[in-house]
Amino acid sequence: MVTAFVLIKTDASRIPETAEEISAIQGISEVYSVTGEWDLIAIARVPKHEDLADVIADKLSKVPGVGHTTTQIAFRAYSQHDLDAAFALGFEQ
């Protein structure tokens, strides 16, 4: 499982609508509205690294209202929770 954090700047008048459209994209597990420099942060979880291009470049970046994105790919997760088990449902390996 590959996890990426996508920092998103949006049209301020469309933040809720943009967040809803992004959250409907297969491969996006969560979308948060946040304070600070960015408007939204989306978490992408995909089976393969190559799938990030489909989710982020081909779908998320084309959602109306998305102005700019920066993607951070996670190397390793440090957590007391079994994140792989929680997010592996429905993914074939």
Side-chain angles (χ1 to χ4, degrees):
M1 180 71 61
V2 178
T3 301
F5 301 90
V6 186
L7 310 172
I8 306 162
K9 289 191 180 182
T10 68
D11 175 349
S13 67
R14 278 195 44 83
I15 291 174
E17 295 85 358
T18 303
E20 287 293 327
E21 290 180 46
I22 292 170
S23 70
I25 297 171
Q26 185 170 358
I28 299 295
S29 64
E30 301 160 67
V31 179
Y32 296 92
S33 60
V34 295
T35 62
E37 181 179 348
W38 301 93
D39 300 309
L40 300 170
I41 297 177
I43 301 175
R45 297 183 196 277
V46 294
K48 301 180 311 240
H49 181 82
E50 296 81 21
D51 296 335
L52 288 174
D54 294 331
V55 172
I56 298 167
D58 295 341
K59 294 183 179 123
L60 186 150
S61 67
K62 294 178 179 162
V63 168
V66 171
H68 178 74
T69 65
T70 296
T71 301
Q72 306 293 317
I73 298 172
F75 290 133
R76 184 174 294 143
Y78 298 91
S79 175
Q80 298 298 315
H81 304 285
D82 187 356
L83 296 177
D84 282 338
F87 290 100
L89 299 175
F91 285 108
E92 298 296 323
Q93 295 204 20

